[in-house]
Each structure stands twice: as C-alpha cells, then as structure tokens.
Amino acid sequence: MPGILYHLSFAKEVYRQLNSVCSINEINFMSGNLIPDLATDKKRSHYRIPASVDGFFVPELKLAKQELYVPTNPIKLGMYCHLYLDYYFIEEFLIPEFIWDTKKMKVINPRNNMEWSVDTFFSHSGMYGSYTEINGLMLQYGHVSLKTVNQIPEILPNTGIAVFDQRISTTWKAELAEYLAQKKEYTGEIFDYHRLQSFLSQIATQFVKETLK
C-alpha cells in the first residue's frame, strides 16, 4: 500500500544498515523492493489475507518468508522487504493512526479531528494525495535520492517466479514520474511526515535485526 518512494526510502534505510554488516548488491535489492507492485495479480504477489480491521488486507508474512526470504539473493530479499513494509505499515501505522468509523463510513484523524468519507480517504484527494505531499520531503531530506532512483533499471530483472514476472505494461519509472509531476504542498492533514519517517526507520531497524539473527 505505501507508494514507490516510501518503498525505496525504506529499502535504502534497510540497505544502509545491512551493508554495514554484510555485503549486498544495492541495485538488485532496491529492484526487488519494487517488483511485487508490478505484478498483474497483486492478490498473489502480495500473499493477501484479511488484516485486523475489516476491509484491509495484508501479506501473509509467514508464507512470504518461506518463499522469498533468501538473504543471499538480494532480489528475493528485496521482494520480501517490500511485503514486510506493507504488513507493518497497514497493521502498525495506518490502522492505529486513524479512527475507522464503520457505521458512518468515516475516517477520522484524531490529531486534528479532520474526517473523510471512506471513498474520499482512499483517493487522490485523500491518502494518495498525502503520499504525493510527502514524496517531495523524502527527496528533500535525503531519505532516498534521484541518483539512486536513476541507477535502478526501468525494466526490472525477472525472478523465475511466474506470478512476479507477469507484469503490468506501465513501468515503475513512468508511474513514479507521474507522481513526482504532481507537486503538492505539504499540509500534514492526513499523514504527519515526522511520525511516518520515524515509523519507517523503526521498522527498517526491526527488519535488519531479524535478518541478522
């Protein structure tokens, strides 16, 4: 569910921490972090199961780990890293960050008491617009750089796993360029940048600790 730059920012932080302990191919690892979202069958590429709140789905991490967690294969490790962030972003950031009023079909931000209909929240006027707001800040504060982005191939490597190698026609770079062209001033009405970035750093450290066990 996080956007492209969120995944790349998270992957970069994981890479920084991992590479200080063991050598890992950065470009392959970063590429792997993008692959699950390019699959035509996202239900299977994301190992979807119901989350703790109705209407949300998260990766079944136990199964994903069995199939993808190969520390010596940076592409597969990156793919697992992507799913790891999806799971924790939804269960430990997105769901707790808001009040989900299922009776009135409203989403409420308790930090500022703003509220949205469910449809509006999950639209470019809502959460996806907030992604756009924060994209610029992630680049501005160096959590990920365009230099890193440009080093990742537009056509990502095949994995040898059919569900991940059957991909949508739009490349990730074309999709990212479209998002970055939508410059939007940061308001923090939905996502607070500092809370989000702190969370991403915390989960990156957690991922690395689990990997180095």
Side-chain angles (χ1 to χ4, degrees):
M1 183 174 283
I4 292 174
L5 278 188
Y6 289 56
H7 277 292
L8 290 179
S9 175
F10 180 73
K12 187 69 175 180
E13 180 59 28
V14 169
Y15 170 77
R16 286 189 191 106
Q17 294 187 36
L18 270 182
N19 200 52
S20 66
V21 179
C22 58
S23 179
I24 182 172
N25 184 295
E26 179 181 8
I27 300 307
N28 284 344
F29 179 68
M30 300 292 280
S31 296
N33 270 272
L34 296 169
I35 287 172
D37 277 345
L38 298 180
T40 55
D41 187 346
K42 288 188 174 59
K43 181 178 179 180
R44 291 178 60 210
S45 73
H46 284 72
Y47 298 81
R48 284 179 180 163
I49 58 172
S52 59
V53 170
D54 287 346
F56 287 94
F57 294 88
V58 292
E60 185 178 356
L61 279 186
K62 185 176 181 180
L63 179 58
K65 188 172 186 177
Q66 287 174 357
E67 298 185 356
L68 300 176
Y69 183 73
V70 185
T72 56
N73 183 323
I75 294 175
K76 285 187 176 180
L77 185 63
M79 292 157 65
Y80 176 68
C81 183
H82 174 111
L83 299 172
Y84 190 93
L85 176 58
D86 278 359
Y87 178 90
Y88 284 99
F89 177 83
I90 294 168
E91 287 286 14
E92 296 193 4
F93 185 81
L94 181 60
I95 289 175
E97 192 77 353
F98 299 92
I99 297 168
W100 306 90
D101 189 335
T102 53
K103 289 184 178 179
K104 296 181 179 179
M105 297 298 288
K106 296 283 187 182
V107 182
I108 303 160
N109 186 340
R111 292 182 292 105
N112 54 23
N113 293 318
M114 293 187 69
E115 63 178 55
W116 301 264
S117 69
V118 170
D119 287 345
T120 300
F121 185 83
F122 290 105
S123 74
H124 289 287
S125 299
M127 184 177 75
Y128 297 109
S130 185
Y131 285 175
T132 302
E133 288 181 16
I134 290 177
N135 281 343
L137 295 179
M138 286 185 166
L139 291 170
Q140 179 182 336
Y141 293 118
H143 296 294
V144 67
S145 69
L146 288 179
K147 178 181 178 182
T148 296
V149 170
N150 291 333
Q151 287 175 336
I152 304 170
E154 184 160 13
I155 306 302
L156 300 175
N158 285 334
T159 66
I161 306 172
V163 67
F164 292 105
D165 293 342
Q166 295 168 0
R167 299 176 185 169
I168 58 175
S169 58
T170 304
T171 68
W172 71 272
K173 283 195 175 183
E175 187 176 342
L176 179 60
E178 185 179 328
Y179 293 148
L180 293 180
Q182 301 169 16
K183 299 187 184 300
K184 194 171 182 181
E185 185 177 351
Y186 173 70
T187 66
E189 290 178 352
I190 293 181
F191 291 137
D192 178 277
Y193 167 74
H194 297 289
R195 288 169 65 86
L196 175 60
Q197 196 55 49
S198 175
F199 172 79
L200 292 177
S201 296
Q202 171 194 329
I203 299 302
T205 298
Q206 177 179 298
F207 180 90
V208 171
K209 285 181 178 178
E210 291 182 13
T211 301
L212 295 176
K213 277 183 180 178

